Amino acid sequence: MISKFTLMNMSSKNSLTFGQTPEEECLFKDDGIDWGKAPASHSTFSYPTQLGEYIASTSVKGRDISIEGYVYYIPTDLEKSQVLPEELEEYCYRQIKKKKELLNGIVNPEQIVRLTIGSYFIEGKPEQSIVYGSDDATNNIFFCKFLISLFCSNPMFRKTVLPSTVLSGTKPAFRFPLIIPKGVGIKMGIRSSYRLIAIENEGNVSTGCVIRLKAKGTIVNPTITNIQTGEFITIDKTLVNDEEVEINTNDGNEKGVKGYIDGKEFNYFKYWNFESTWLKFPIGTSLIGFSLKEGDETLLDISITVNPLKYALEDM
């Protein structure tokens, strides 16, 4: 069971922690969360006299999540000693109202809310403003019951911190404090340059990636290839020293190709080779390689970031 999670408004960056112990900012019950489901819609067809149907395609729709919990406030021993006993209830009620004000700002139907559980998150928009208890039994000076409803158009849980796989690049080889052995010296960096590397997708569905290229000199037409499927991405451009390219193959608004020169961002879609495909990583292991039309392969740093997508988390 999940015992703790965080809600963050992605516009204001304000957040609250929800848990099942008095130390948390808001409480929720064991049965207070409905994680919803990711419903699938199958397009089918059949022939006369056929038994059953063929599934032509499958699309997965959004997920509805509802959270039922309580806003409350427990004064510390210091607060109890500083506030008059006859004023303590009113003091706690003011603190509850402050939490409600923060919660009202986080749950905004016009803004995206991120729900983070451990190392995974899911994002959505509230389906309505927050609903509070409407009678003395659920909304009083000691606690206030609430209901939050989220619609997540992307029903998958994604990792918050993504490890990047270095296909070609330089890793630092020293740490501070720095001691240089006399007459021996030290390694300043280790060059990793793999023509092939295995990349693992630990999720439940195929997913895109973010490919970052950085030129350390002049190179021509870099190509990233999935060896098993034959799919590839080629950037038809001569890259110069310190020029960077970012290719995002994930579905959504971020999908595209960007370039960076002297810290300035440019649209590099015009350099996209139209025989290229938006690389996807199927479940399991994929073998990825790279090549250049012209140039020294050691002059190109390449990293690939894959975010595994899950329908559900093991703690649910």
Side-chain angles (χ1 to χ4, degrees):
M1 295 293 293
I2 289 173
S3 59
K4 185 177 180 180
F5 64 88
T6 300
L7 276 187
M8 174 183 285
N9 184 294
M10 298 306 292
S11 296
S12 67
K13 301 302 181 183
N14 290 330
S15 65
L16 277 174
T17 301
F18 297 70
Q20 296 180 304
T21 61
E23 290 77 23
E24 308 304 341
E25 295 174 296
C26 296
L27 290 174
F28 69 94
K29 301 182 296 183
D30 284 337
D31 58 351
I33 300 182
D34 181 357
W35 295 106
K37 54 187 179 294
S41 176
H42 305 293
S43 296
T44 62
F45 67 93
S46 61
Y47 299 106
T49 73
Q50 177 182 333
L51 292 176
E53 298 173 297
Y54 289 108
I55 297 178
S57 63
T58 299
S59 63
V60 180
K61 301 183 182 300
R63 177 195 302 264
D64 292 308
I65 296 176
S66 64
I67 304 168
E68 187 179 286
Y70 298 88
V71 177
Y72 71 101
Y73 188 79
I74 299 176
T76 64
D77 290 338
L78 178 60
E79 289 173 319
K80 290 178 182 178
S81 66
Q82 293 176 338
V83 179
L84 295 174
E86 62 271 19
E87 297 177 357
L88 190 58
E89 288 186 359
E90 179 60 28
Y91 174 81
C92 292
Y93 184 51
R94 289 198 302 270
Q95 305 310 310
I96 289 175
K97 289 199 293 184
K98 288 180 181 179
K99 282 189 180 182
K100 289 170 68 175
E101 182 179 7
L102 180 57
L103 197 54
N104 290 339
I106 292 173
V107 183
N108 184 332
E110 295 185 292
Q111 297 171 338
I112 293 174
V113 174
R114 173 175 291 190
L115 194 160
T116 302
I117 311 124
S119 60
Y120 282 84
F121 74 91
I122 188 169
E123 291 181 341
K125 280 191 171 183
E127 295 187 296
Q128 58 190 0
S129 60
I130 191 165
V131 179
Y132 291 109
S134 57
D135 54 40
D136 287 340
T138 57
N139 191 346
N140 52 60
I141 62 174
F142 302 106
F143 65 87
C144 179
K145 188 176 181 180
F146 63 80
L147 175 66
I148 298 171
S149 302
L150 293 178
F151 172 67
C152 304
S153 58
N154 182 341
M156 310 303 290
F157 291 89
R158 294 170 279 173
K159 274 200 168 182
T160 53
V161 179
L162 303 179
S164 292
T165 301
V166 177
L167 187 56
S168 178
T170 302
K171 297 180 179 179
F174 64 90
R175 297 289 186 272
F176 290 101
L178 180 61
I179 300 175
I180 303 177
K182 187 175 181 180
V184 178
I186 63 168
K187 292 180 181 180
M188 300 300 291
I190 300 174
R191 178 75 194 182
S192 299
S193 186
Y194 305 97
R195 294 299 299 271
L196 286 178
I197 197 166
I199 295 181
E200 186 77 16
N201 175 10
E202 301 174 351
N204 303 136
V205 296
S206 63
T207 185
C209 65
V210 177
I211 302 171
R212 294 181 175 87
L213 314 176
K214 184 172 183 179
K216 299 293 188 179
T218 301
I219 59 171
V220 181
N221 296 10
T223 297
I224 311 296
T225 305
N226 184 321
I227 303 303
Q228 292 153 298
T229 66
E231 295 178 294
F232 66 89
I233 292 175
T234 296
I235 300 300
D236 286 332
K237 188 180 189 303
T238 298
L239 305 182
V240 298
N241 187 44
D242 284 337
E243 185 173 0
E244 299 181 48
V245 181
E246 180 179 286
I247 306 162
N248 193 326
T249 72
N250 290 298
D251 294 331
N253 296 331
E254 297 179 353
K255 189 173 186 177
V257 186
K258 299 177 183 178
Y260 298 90
I261 300 177
D262 295 330
K264 296 180 180 179
E265 181 182 305
F266 300 90
N267 187 335
Y268 268 30
F269 188 70
K270 60 184 176 182
Y271 302 118
W272 174 268
N273 180 296
F274 284 96
E275 293 183 2
S276 302
T277 57
W278 298 98
L279 284 184
K280 297 288 185 181
F281 288 82
I283 302 170
T285 304
S286 298
L287 283 177
I288 304 298
F290 81 98
S291 61
L292 304 174
K293 184 177 180 181
E294 295 179 22
D296 186 342
E297 292 173 351
T298 63
L299 297 178
L300 180 65
D301 286 352
I302 307 173
S303 68
I304 301 177
T305 302
V306 176
N307 194 339
L309 306 178
K310 293 191 174 184
Y311 284 112
L313 303 181
E314 291 74 13
D315 292 334
M316 288 180 177

